[in-house]
Amino acid sequence: SFTGVATAQDACGSATVTFSDLVTTNCGGTRVIARTWTATDACGNSTNCVQTITVRDTTPPSLVCPPSVTLDCPAITATNATGVATAQDACGSTTLTYSDQVVTNCGGTRVIARTWTAMDSCGNSTNCVQTITVRDITKPVITCPPNVTLDCPVSDASTNVTGVATATDACSTPVLTFSDSVQTNCGGTRVVSRTWTATDACGNNVSCVQTITVRDITRPVITCPPNVTLECPATTTTNVTGVATATEAA
């Protein structure tokens, strides 16, 4: 009913119409059918004609991309983590492939445009794009050096004496900086609040505070003037009997 039926006439009576097919298969479900029609009359006389039926495939497969995803760095971006496209074709099987175009950003972050391609056996193809975003919103992990107490005098409270913070980050190497807030007390004593900050390549940062206390618990060193013996009447003021001397570490 789709390809039609041959018609035949005979001068002496009715004719019987039959056909036979010669099929040449091509890609997928396509083929070329040479359909030979034969009309035979009641006396056995016959004649032929050939109808060519071509089954072609010019329709690309249908393709559905996996949904776009946003992953936190570090991230696995293989298809078993981000999903696989699905494809269907009316005439046969399809082959799925993909290619990635990567735009790198700060640290280990990036945006991947994953182009999926479905191709059928006849070379018809269709594409779709899945976007995979790898972001970094996680702060580094920081560990401050321990609080320290130093005895006055302290000429060096630098980090090679008081220690350095350590930091790690999942996506990049963090940069360590510090700033000091100093509260001065008696003599040369003070309390230093050293704020350490770790900043990753994407600007995420975290801080911790180390306290450095400079104290004075050492007594001064004093030297009395020598003992003296005076004849009465005598002047015993310090300008006659002498003055003690003292030294202090700070």
Side-chain angles (χ1 to χ4, degrees):
S1 58
F2 289 105
T3 58
V5 179
T7 57
Q9 290 181 334
D10 187 71
C12 288
S14 61
T16 301
V17 176
T18 59
F19 72 87
S20 63
D21 288 346
L22 177 64
V23 181
T24 301
T25 58
N26 294 322
C27 58
T30 64
R31 57 201 180 277
V32 177
I33 302 171
R35 179 162 290 170
T36 301
W37 292 92
T38 301
T40 304
D41 64 17
C43 294
N45 301 302
S46 66
T47 188
N48 301 320
C49 67
V50 177
Q51 176 191 20
T52 300
I53 302 167
T54 302
V55 179
R56 66 180 185 179
D57 181 6
T58 60
T59 304
S62 62
L63 178 64
V64 178
C65 257
S68 296
V69 293
T70 298
L71 305 174
D72 288 324
C73 186
I76 297 172
T77 57
T79 57
N80 59 346
T82 58
V84 179
T86 56
Q88 290 182 328
D89 189 71
C91 280
S93 61
T94 59
T95 301
L96 272 174
T97 58
Y98 72 88
S99 62
D100 288 346
Q101 184 177 13
V102 182
V103 177
T104 57
N105 295 320
C106 58
T109 64
R110 56 203 181 275
V111 176
I112 302 171
R114 179 162 291 169
T115 300
W116 290 91
T117 300
M119 181 174 292
D120 65 21
S121 300
C122 293
N124 302 300
S125 65
T126 187
N127 300 318
C128 66
V129 178
Q130 174 194 22
T131 301
I132 302 165
T133 303
V134 180
R135 66 181 182 179
D136 181 6
I137 58 171
T138 304
K139 297 178 179 180
V141 176
I142 189 171
T143 302
C144 258
N147 296 334
V148 293
T149 298
L150 306 173
D151 287 326
C152 194
V154 174
S155 60
D156 187 3
S158 62
T159 58
N160 59 343
V161 173
T162 57
V164 179
T166 58
T168 58
D169 187 71
C171 282
S172 60
T173 301
V175 175
L176 278 170
T177 58
F178 72 89
S179 62
D180 287 347
S181 175
V182 181
Q183 176 186 333
T184 57
N185 296 321
C186 56
T189 65
R190 57 201 181 276
V191 176
V192 181
S193 296
R194 180 162 289 167
T195 300
W196 290 91
T197 301
T199 305
D200 67 21
C202 293
N204 302 300
N205 63 78
V206 65
S207 298
C208 65
V209 179
Q210 174 195 23
T211 300
I212 303 164
T213 303
V214 180
R215 67 182 180 178
D216 182 4
I217 59 171
T218 304
R219 296 176 179 178
V221 176
I222 189 170
T223 302
C224 271
N227 297 332
V228 294
T229 300
L230 303 172
E231 292 291 335
C232 185
T235 302
T236 59
T237 58
T238 57
N239 59 343
V240 174
T241 59
V243 179
T245 59
T247 57
E248 166 74 353

